[in-house]
Every structure is written in structure tokens, then in C-alpha cells.
Amino acid sequence: MARWEPGAYDRLREAALTLFDEQGFEQTTVAQIAERAGLNRRTFFHHFADKREVVFAGQEASEELIAAEIAAQPEALDPLHAAVAGLQRVAETTYERYRAGSVLLGRVIAASPELQERELVKRAGLAGRIAGALGERGTDERAAAVAGWTAAAVFFVARNRWNQPGNERTLAELMGETLQTFLDATLHRAGVPLRSVSEA
Amino acid sequence: MARWEPGAYDRLREAALTLFDEQGFEQTTVAQIAERAGLNRRTFFHHFADKREVVFAGQEASEELIAAEIAAQPEALDPLHAAVAGLQRVAETTYERYRAGSVLLGRVIAASPELQERELVKRAGLAGRIAGALGERGTDERAAAVAGWTAAAVFFVARNRWNQPGNERTLAELMGETLQTFLDATLHRAGVPLRSVSEA
């Protein structure tokens, strides 16, 4: 069987996610995935390092897109808004078309402790990538690190709502609303001074 | 040998961290740790589930302290400042005494990919715990989730600086400064409106 079978990547990914969803990630073997896709194990390993990588495929490409969109935001935008605007832009141009796949992925990850742990590692990767893109815009390194985590949290909280059954709003809208809810609760209460350590 | 050897926990922890630092986490066995502590393997497994847990021992107790300190913050304080103030309080009452241990732990974790991955999982646990404590104060769930990650990021960025050679500032001071740097860069640029999705 040809290793360069057209569409093999997509067929393997669809077969893998369907099997993970039907019978569980831990219970699914690479041989089963290849069989369901009508391909062989060698073709699988040509496209993916292991079955876990099927779940997180495309993350590197997504992060590159996000970093590029953050770099493209107006200079006047503060780091947190630039980061969230970059994420919103990728949501609009890319993620929005794949909601059904995101719902399925969310279900597969939620059912597997191993994948949940891996997901947390990937989140740290995204936060770090956002921080790096903000650093390139000239943001102080510490502020960029914190803003990277804040923006990543906005993204993950919004994506969770976006994946809910019955949701009809876009991921970008939900991100904007999540950020605003955070800002309203936290930072628009001007007049409450930062607790100084010397007062403790 | 008695399983209830006095001081066994501390002796095992010190022996383990010293060995991890000297010869690497992956290369160190439980038998070596027990031998260095003058105890046996059974005593080790009475105190720790595995050698990885030695590194993250005490996290649950720390998180409980942090949640309690967040709950004790004045009601008027917004969620982000309440979370950071709670973390600062635990830094003052507890962490500040253990800087040498924190430096050692940081070095051990930085040298091991497995421990780095585990550290990211533990960070998510802390962010979730902070979010839970904020939720109990009445903060909106989404805002609490984002504030939990932001406060956790402030803590980890500050702890990294605190661990640097030659640092003479307290962890609580460095947290206050990190939060202020983030706020100055990000949120005190009033007048830059939130990019609305409808303008995209």
C-alpha cells in the first residue's frame, strides 16, 4: 500500500477520533485506527509519532498562525488585547469552520486522564508562544508571561462554552465576552489600590 | 525498622532532593533514597506514592492555605488582587522560610522533562484552586477561571525571579511587582477600547 495515499492524514485522523470517542483512547490501538481508515500501520507512523499525537495534531501550525496574528495587531493595542485579538482572528479564519471536530476532541480529551494531562502541557505551550509574540512587540518579559497565560485562559474558557451543546455563538464572540467579564470583575474597579506588602 | 521513625518524612525528602540534584531524577532509585536517609523502601512508600511525589509533596497543603487566605481577603478587593494578596500572604507566612529548598527544587525540575511536565499539571491544579476560592467569594465563574490563571502566572513568574542567584527580595514583593508590571503594561492604558468582534 502506498505511503503517500492521498488524504491519508485526514482519513487516519477521522478514524482515530471516531474510535477514541466510541471505545476510549486507552482501548484503541494504532492497528485498529489504520484498519478503520483502510490503511496500514506504517502509513499511520508516517503521519503521526503515536496515537496521542493524533489528538493534538495541528497545534504547532495553529500557534504559528496565532503568533503571526498577534504580531499583526496595531501597535497601540496593549498586550492583553493584542493577544486576545490575535486569537479571535484565528478563531474567525480557521477554528470556526471546525466546531464539530472541536466538540468531538473535547469529549475525547475529557474522557482520558492521559490526554487531559497532555492538554495541560499543550496549554502551557500556547501561553508561552503568546508571551513570545508579545515580547517581540516590545512587551516587558514578565508582563508578557502573565498576559500570555491570561489570554490563553480566555481562549480555553471561551472554547469550552463554544463546545457546549446548543451554543450558537462564535468562538471569537465568546472570547471577547470572556475577556470583558474578567476585566469587569477584576480591573474596572478602579480605586481599589494594590495591597502593598509593607502594609501586611 | 519502625515505619514511624521520627522525622522520616523530612529525612527522605532531603535525601531524595539531594540525590536528584546530584545525579538526576531519572537516575535515582527509591532504594538509593531510602539508603541515603538511613531508612528502608517500605518507610519511603509509607510517606510517598513514588519518587515523583517527593518533588511535589506539600502542594495540597499549600493550596489549602492559599484558598483560605483568599477567602480571608476583604470583600471589597477585586478577584485578581484578592488572589494575589492571598498568595502573597502564604509567601510571607510560609514560603519565605524555604527559599533554599525552592531553589533546589527549581533546579531539579528544570533538569527533568518528566518533572517539568508534572509541574505544568500542578500549575493547572493551583490555578483551578484559586478559581474555586474566587468562586466562593461570588466571582463569576468565567472571570474566576481567567483570574485564577493570571494570579498563578504572577506567582510562577515571581517565584522564578525569587529563585535567581543573588536575589535579596521577598517572594511577596516580587509578586506585587510582577502584578503591577502586568497591570501597567496591559490595563492602565485606558482609552484603548476592547476590539469588538463586529468591527473585525
Side-chain angles (χ1 to χ4, degrees):
Chain A
M1 190 175 290
R3 288 177 70 192
W4 299 100
E5 189 93 24
Y9 177 94
D10 289 339
R11 281 159 60 192
L12 287 164
R13 188 146 201 247
E14 193 183 333
L17 292 176
T18 306
L19 286 168
F20 294 162
D21 194 34
E22 282 172 12
Q23 62 187 37
F25 172 76
E26 279 78 9
Q27 286 71 45
T28 300
T29 65
V30 167
Q32 291 172 333
I33 296 167
E35 193 193 341
R36 172 77 65 112
L39 296 164
N40 61 28
R41 291 177 82 250
R42 204 171 139 215
T43 307
F44 178 91
F45 288 115
H46 175 69
H47 290 284
F48 302 101
D50 55 36
K51 66 176 181 168
R52 196 173 66 174
E53 281 314 302
V54 181
V55 175
F56 300 103
Q59 160 123 6
E60 178 54 33
S62 285
E63 286 183 8
E64 263 177 50
L65 271 180
I66 290 163
E69 292 292 354
I70 292 171
Q73 294 302 313
E75 247 185 82
L77 219 52
D78 73 84
L80 181 57
H81 286 91
V84 173
L87 286 160
Q88 286 179 310
R89 183 86 187 121
V90 176
E92 288 160 354
T93 59
T94 308
Y95 298 147
E96 200 59 38
R97 278 176 286 152
Y98 300 108
R99 179 165 173 260
S102 174
V103 169
L104 174 56
L105 262 184
R107 201 160 57 215
V108 165
I109 292 171
S112 160
E114 181 185 340
L115 292 178
Q116 282 171 52
E117 186 158 328
R118 193 71 198 158
E119 160 82 4
L120 295 176
V121 175
K122 296 288 183 178
R123 287 187 184 198
L126 176 62
R129 190 67 174 255
I130 295 170
L134 294 175
E136 304 252 314
R137 286 169 59 94
T139 303
D140 166 273
E141 192 187 349
R142 287 160 296 163
V146 177
W149 271 114
T150 306
V154 165
F155 175 60
F156 290 113
V157 168
R159 193 177 62 178
N160 190 46
R161 294 182 66 210
W162 183 59
N163 283 346
Q164 294 305 308
N167 168 55
E168 295 190 346
R169 305 180 60 195
T170 69
L171 178 55
E173 276 169 2
L174 291 168
M175 265 191 270
E177 191 184 88
T178 302
L179 175 59
Q180 200 56 57
T181 302
F182 166 68
L183 293 175
D184 287 345
T186 290
L187 301 153
H188 290 173
R189 292 209 207 168
V192 180
L194 180 65
R195 173 176 167 278
S196 145
V197 172
S198 55
E199 297 163 33
Chain B
M1 188 176 288
R3 288 177 70 193
W4 298 100
E5 187 94 24
Y9 177 95
D10 289 338
R11 281 160 59 193
L12 286 163
R13 188 144 201 249
E14 194 184 333
L17 293 175
T18 305
L19 285 167
F20 294 163
D21 194 35
E22 283 173 11
Q23 62 187 39
F25 172 76
E26 280 77 9
Q27 285 72 43
T28 300
T29 65
V30 167
Q32 290 173 332
I33 296 167
E35 194 194 340
R36 172 78 66 113
L39 297 163
N40 62 26
R41 291 176 82 250
R42 203 170 140 216
T43 306
F44 178 91
F45 287 115
H46 175 69
H47 290 283
F48 302 101
D50 55 37
K51 66 177 181 166
R52 195 174 67 174
E53 282 314 302
V54 180
V55 175
F56 300 103
Q59 161 124 7
E60 178 54 35
S62 285
E63 285 184 9
E64 263 177 51
L65 270 180
I66 290 163
E69 293 291 355
I70 292 171
Q73 294 302 314
E75 247 186 82
L77 218 53
D78 73 84
L80 181 57
H81 287 91
V84 173
L87 286 160
Q88 286 179 310
R89 182 87 188 120
V90 176
E92 288 160 355
T93 58
T94 307
Y95 297 146
E96 200 60 38
R97 277 176 288 152
Y98 300 107
R99 180 165 174 259
S102 174
V103 169
L104 173 57
L105 262 185
R107 201 162 56 215
V108 166
I109 292 171
S112 160
E114 181 186 341
L115 292 178
Q116 282 171 53
E117 187 158 327
R118 193 68 198 161
E119 160 82 4
L120 295 176
V121 175
K122 296 287 182 178
R123 287 185 184 198
L126 176 63
R129 190 67 174 255
I130 295 170
L134 294 174
E136 305 251 315
R137 285 169 62 94
T139 303
D140 167 272
E141 192 186 349
R142 287 160 295 163
V146 177
W149 271 115
T150 306
V154 165
F155 175 60
F156 291 113
V157 168
R159 194 179 60 180
N160 190 46
R161 294 181 69 208
W162 182 59
N163 283 346
Q164 294 306 307
N167 167 57
E168 296 190 346
R169 304 180 59 196
T170 69
L171 178 55
E173 277 170 1
L174 292 167
M175 266 192 268
E177 190 185 87
T178 302
L179 176 59
Q180 200 57 55
T181 302
F182 166 69
L183 293 175
D184 286 346
T186 290
L187 300 152
H188 290 175
R189 292 209 208 166
V192 179
L194 179 66
R195 172 176 169 280
S196 144
V197 172
S198 56
E199 295 163 35

